Amino acid sequence: MDESNEIILQKSKRLTSVVWNYFERVRKADVCYAVCIQCNKKLSGSSNSGTTHLRNHLMRCLKRTNHDMSQLLTPKRRKKENPVTVATIGFDESEPKDGYIRPKFDQEQRRGDEVVLSRGGSGGGVGGGRFSQERSLVDLARMIILHGYPLSMVDHVGFKVFARNLQPLFEPVGNSTIEETCMEIYIREKQRVQHALSNLYGKINLSVEMWSSKDNANYVCLASHYIDEEWRLQRNVLNFITLDPSHTDDMLSEVIIRCLMEWSLETKLFAVTFDSFSVNDEIVMRIKDHMAQSSQVLINGQLFELRSAAHLLNAIVQDCLEAMRDVIQKIRGSVRYVKSSQSTQARFSEIAQLAGINSEKILVLDSLDIWNSTYEMLETVLEYKGAFCHLRDHDQEFDSSLTDEEWELTRSVTSYLKLVFEITADFSGNKCPTANVYFAEMCDIHIQLIEWCKNQDGFLSSLAAKMKVKFDEYWNKCSLVLAIAAILDPRFKMKLVEYYYSKIYGSTALDRIKEVSNGVKELLDAYSICSAIGDDSSFSGGSGLGRGGGMDSRDRLKGFDKFLHETSQNQNTTSDLDKYLSEPIFPRSGEFNILNYWKVHTPRYPVLSMMARDILGTPMSILGAADSAFNSGRPVVDESKSSLNPDIRQALFCAHDWLSAEAEEVQPLSRQYAQAM
């Protein structure tokens, strides 16, 4: 092209875009061009063409020359009378040792009327004028982990367009790249969790929860539960393992043992809580045998083997719903009929008003997999009983009506469900579910089951008897730990045990109370012996000091340590427990934080507080989220996660749990990875 007739135009005041700092505007004849000062490429420079095509060219051109892009990426200045209010995510100013920056959710820096996103560290960021593909990739992976987004989102066209328009320098990545980055984050976070667990002073409890997927795969989620040095209740998912299709109980015990070995928790284990109340006892025996073979000595020679209270209550509810299956089906038909048309609903409302029913509740069909919705449906239908009976007598098309006997059965069973519903709601709503909160609630269930078994109605008494069989199996495993946890609540101490046991056991109550008293004393004696030896590993399940001060699993003087402790007790010394129980009960009015109580009273009860830390940190119920407590089946892994490689699935599940603890507004406990079954 002949350039002799080209005229370089002076920049007009209207050319305010920073893009024109990198272009010369020239005219040849009646055509205007924009000439890139970097590569001399000519583009349309007409005022009607805008600057988008210039920006796009400049991004590619300047990227090749590794030019500073900060001016192009700085937002346009806004008028002072219309200030920008953009919530930004900042980052720690110092580069962490693990190589990536953790987000802080409350930082915002402003420059004049502009909002500048900033990052610290050597990687720089938008505000610093440098872009880091690696840092952005890590941020993207953390976002996917934290919010449970599918890995495949990086392949979605919409996401690619969004990322390119937001930051043109960001290079799209594929599934394999994002998987690798997620694995790197998982490994870093795992090291952090391992460090915290290895430095823990007290013991650790393990929960075992079974998961499934729509393709009938089975998984086991293992989590640690403990109270840290600051007396805060902690929970960390440790493993999310895909079980072999030929899974047996033998395999489950092996999975648990491998988890303990992987996390070096064999010397710290205090209790194991299973989600099923009917877990094979041999599983725990194999764990105990393994620990014995590894020369790990358990506190008082035992490993507490517990069952989840929430899962027991769920099983009891399923017995009720199964017994009522035909009646509940008729109730669903009744609700469907009333809601079948607006005219039917209007007529039903008129009937209810004429019958003097002033309920504000609305008839709603239940969800088959969430039992509290079934309970609420039954409770609402009972309030409209008069209207349904009138409909039965005056509407020939209504064919789902209940008989008088069925109405009475519904009322009785709903009263059973009411207690279970209220207790389950209390469990799931407790933000700090220490072990002491469960004793009174489970005793109430026990007392009601005893009463229900005495019902004159044979159907109801047989139903209650079936429920009580399951409860008794649970109670035999858990009652001692439940009672000890209640004793360690200064608002109750032994008095709460005495109160409930007199109601439950009647004439044999004193013998049962004596068993609890002896149990808590024996457990404290074991802690006292370990404390007297002065070896922290003894608290963690390790052996005592051998001859010469060294560790020796064959230490022949362990018996002497016990003898020394027992003879010292006979010298009129007062134990922590005696001192604690002799003092007045703490007032029950107002808010009470039991962990703060023991944190403050640790100097006064040094040995008892060690025991309290381990007992109160024991998970008496496995609850991932408020709604999961009412799910009738196992938690289910969603399809986007169930199709992944087992290693990356575990990495995403565990890392999500660990990162959620850093962002309070994100739901923890990995329930974003589940869907209702």
Side-chain angles (χ1 to χ4, degrees):
M1 179 183 292
D2 183 9
E3 298 182 357
S4 59
N5 295 326
E6 291 182 351
I7 301 174
I8 299 177
L9 302 178
Q10 291 185 343
K11 289 186 175 65
S12 167
K13 291 183 179 180
R14 296 180 58 192
L15 302 178
T16 56
S17 173
V18 293
V19 171
W20 289 105
N21 293 333
Y22 299 88
F23 289 90
E24 290 287 354
R25 195 161 185 257
V26 300
R27 175 183 293 168
K28 182 177 182 181
D30 294 330
V31 180
C32 290
Y33 297 98
V35 181
C36 177
I37 61 176
Q38 299 292 323
C39 66
N40 292 324
K41 183 172 181 177
K42 291 182 180 180
L43 296 95
S44 174
S46 170
S47 58
N48 295 326
S49 301
T51 59
T52 301
H53 66 298
L54 303 182
R55 282 177 175 270
N56 292 338
H57 166 77
L58 203 54
M59 292 296 181
R60 295 187 293 270
C61 182
L62 295 185
K63 183 180 176 183
R64 287 195 297 270
T65 58
N66 204 22
H67 199 279
D68 187 341
M69 303 289 290
S70 60
Q71 290 298 318
L72 285 179
L73 300 177
T74 302
K76 293 182 179 180
R77 291 185 178 274
R78 309 296 176 95
K79 294 181 180 180
K80 290 187 176 181
E81 61 270 23
N82 185 24
V84 178
T85 56
V86 180
T88 65
I89 297 178
F91 294 79
D92 290 334
E93 295 181 357
S94 57
E95 187 77 28
K97 294 180 180 179
D98 56 14
Y100 67 94
I101 291 178
R102 303 181 186 279
K104 297 172 70 176
F105 294 89
D106 57 356
Q107 290 186 344
E108 181 177 288
Q109 294 186 9
R110 295 179 179 273
R111 182 179 300 159
D113 294 325
E114 300 172 356
V115 175
V116 182
L117 295 177
S118 65
R119 297 183 185 179
S122 59
V126 175
R130 291 187 301 276
F131 168 75
S132 170
Q133 172 76 12
E134 181 179 357
R135 182 65 48 75
S136 296
L137 178 58
V138 172
D139 291 344
L140 173 60
R142 287 175 63 90
M143 179 189 73
I144 289 174
I145 293 171
L146 187 60
H147 298 285
Y149 299 144
L151 293 175
S152 59
M153 72 172 289
V154 298
D155 295 325
H156 296 171
V157 173
F159 172 76
K160 290 181 179 180
V161 171
F162 171 77
R164 174 63 69 184
N165 288 334
L166 191 66
Q167 171 50 271
L169 292 184
F170 180 72
E171 291 291 342
V173 297
N175 245 325
S176 59
T177 301
I178 203 67
E179 280 190 11
E180 291 175 3
T181 307
C182 288
M183 285 298 297
E184 291 172 1
I185 293 174
Y186 163 72
I187 293 170
R188 292 183 184 123
E189 291 295 324
K190 183 177 180 179
Q191 292 172 346
R192 181 176 60 84
V193 175
Q194 281 181 317
H195 178 74
L197 294 180
S198 64
N199 291 325
L200 184 66
Y201 179 68
K203 297 176 77 68
I204 287 177
N205 305 283
L206 190 70
S207 66
V208 181
E209 183 180 30
M210 303 302 296
W211 285 56
S212 62
S213 63
K214 286 189 174 181
D215 58 359
N216 296 320
N218 292 310
Y219 315 89
V220 59
C221 176
L222 303 172
S224 64
H225 304 254
Y226 60 92
I227 293 173
D228 64 17
E229 293 182 0
E230 297 300 320
W231 285 89
R232 295 170 301 195
L233 187 63
Q234 302 285 0
R235 174 190 180 275
N236 294 118
V237 171
L238 302 180
N239 294 93
F240 192 77
I241 298 170
T242 305
L243 296 176
D244 188 271
S246 60
H247 161 69
T248 62
D249 286 343
D250 288 344
M251 182 179 296
L252 181 57
S253 60
E254 292 175 4
V255 166
I256 295 172
I257 290 171
R258 285 201 302 269
C259 170
L260 296 174
M261 296 173 64
E262 176 185 352
W263 291 87
S264 302
L265 298 181
E266 295 168 289
T267 64
K268 292 179 176 290
L269 190 61
F270 181 73
V272 180
T273 303
F274 295 92
D275 59 355
S276 173
F277 64 92
S278 58
V279 170
N280 194 324
D281 292 340
E282 293 184 4
I283 293 177
V284 179
M285 289 302 301
R286 292 190 185 96
I287 298 173
K288 289 181 178 180
D289 289 344
H290 170 78
M291 297 176 70
Q293 293 170 7
S294 302
S295 302
Q296 311 303 336
V297 180
L298 297 165
I299 284 291
N300 205 29
Q302 64 181 317
L303 172 68
F304 287 113
E305 166 196 354
L306 307 173
R307 302 294 185 265
S308 169
H311 288 75
L312 167 74
L313 298 182
N314 199 313
I316 288 176
V317 168
Q318 298 312 312
D319 286 340
C320 286
L321 298 182
E322 177 60 26
M324 285 278 292
R325 180 176 55 185
D326 294 338
V327 176
I328 291 175
Q329 195 60 36
K330 292 179 71 174
I331 290 174
R332 290 188 183 113
S334 299
V335 175
R336 286 194 190 97
Y337 180 81
V338 170
K339 299 179 71 66
S340 61
S341 67
Q342 291 185 350
S343 60
T344 307
Q345 292 186 61
R347 185 155 56 92
F348 186 80
S349 296
E350 292 176 2
I351 294 173
Q353 290 178 0
L354 292 174
I357 300 172
N358 298 317
S359 176
E360 296 181 356
K361 294 183 179 179
I362 300 174
L363 290 172
V364 178
L365 278 173
D366 64 329
S367 172
L368 298 181
D369 300 319
I370 306 177
W371 69 259
N372 61 314
S373 68
T374 304
Y375 161 73
E376 290 167 353
M377 180 184 71
L378 297 179
E379 193 176 48
T380 302
V381 165
L382 283 169
E383 293 193 17
Y384 287 95
K385 175 186 174 183
F388 278 109
C389 289
H390 182 87
L391 201 63
R392 176 190 62 190
D393 297 336
H394 296 85
D395 189 338
Q396 295 181 352
E397 295 182 5
F398 180 49
D399 59 0
S400 298
S401 60
L402 274 63
T403 65
D404 292 340
E405 292 77 11
E406 289 172 334
W407 277 114
E408 189 57 36
L409 178 63
T410 301
R411 188 175 301 280
S412 298
V413 172
T414 302
S415 70
Y416 288 14
L417 294 176
K418 179 179 176 62
L419 176 63
V420 181
F421 168 78
E422 292 174 346
I423 290 176
T424 304
D426 288 342
F427 288 168
S428 61
N430 195 318
K431 296 181 180 179
C432 186
T434 47
N436 60 300
V437 304
Y438 294 90
F439 178 74
E441 306 280 25
M442 300 311 291
C443 284
D444 285 336
I445 292 285
H446 199 167
I447 292 169
Q448 286 302 313
L449 283 171
I450 293 172
E451 292 300 316
W452 293 339
C453 287
K454 300 175 184 177
N455 197 298
Q456 296 299 316
D457 186 295
F459 177 85
L460 293 173
S461 61
S462 62
L463 172 60
K466 182 179 180 180
M467 295 157 63
K468 193 172 184 302
V469 168
K470 293 180 178 179
F471 183 88
D472 289 343
E473 189 175 349
Y474 163 85
W475 187 253
N476 291 335
K477 297 288 186 184
C478 304
S479 60
L480 178 59
V481 177
L482 287 169
I484 293 176
I487 293 169
L488 293 172
D489 190 324
R491 299 169 297 172
F492 305 125
K493 300 187 179 180
M494 280 297 299
K495 291 298 182 182
L496 192 66
V497 177
E498 294 168 1
Y499 169 75
Y500 273 113
Y501 274 27
S502 64
K503 291 177 173 292
I504 294 171
Y505 296 111
S507 60
T508 63
L510 290 179
D511 293 335
R512 298 288 186 165
I513 294 169
K514 182 73 171 177
E515 290 175 3
V516 173
S517 179
N518 291 339
V520 69
K521 288 178 181 178
E522 289 175 7
L523 189 59
L524 183 66
D525 285 347
Y527 277 85
S528 299
I529 292 173
C530 295
S531 178
I533 295 173
D535 177 24
D536 288 346
S537 66
S538 298
F539 277 114
S540 301
S543 56
L545 287 172
R547 292 186 295 273
M551 295 299 296
D552 184 357
S553 61
R554 298 170 297 176
D555 179 12
R556 301 181 186 280
L557 292 180
K558 289 181 183 177
F560 170 73
D561 295 327
K562 185 175 181 181
F563 169 78
L564 183 64
H565 172 70
E566 291 173 348
T567 54
S568 298
Q569 276 194 321
N570 293 332
Q571 297 175 359
N572 296 323
T573 57
T574 303
S575 71
D576 278 4
L577 182 63
D578 295 331
K579 190 192 311 180
Y580 168 76
L581 294 177
S582 66
E583 294 182 350
I585 287 180
F586 205 79
R588 202 164 63 86
S589 59
E591 292 187 6
F592 176 75
N593 187 318
I594 192 170
L595 297 183
N596 282 345
Y597 172 88
W598 282 106
K599 181 179 181 180
V600 170
H601 288 79
T602 293
R604 181 166 178 77
Y605 311 116
V607 178
L608 189 62
S609 65
M610 294 177 187
M611 190 175 83
R613 187 193 299 270
D614 296 337
I615 288 286
L616 296 176
T618 303
M620 301 306 299
S621 194
I622 302 174
L623 289 172
D627 58 349
S628 68
F630 299 102
N631 286 351
S632 58
R634 290 177 176 177
V636 179
V637 177
D638 68 34
E639 294 182 12
S640 68
K641 303 299 184 298
S642 63
S643 60
L644 296 174
N645 172 278
D647 290 337
I648 187 64
R649 179 167 49 243
Q650 173 172 253
L652 291 173
F653 193 97
C654 295
H656 166 78
D657 181 80
W658 303 334
L659 295 181
S660 294
E662 301 174 11
E664 294 180 357
E665 73 278 9
V666 179
Q667 179 180 312
L669 308 184
S670 301
R671 289 294 169 169
Q672 290 186 10
Y673 281 71
Q675 58 191 26
M677 186 172 181

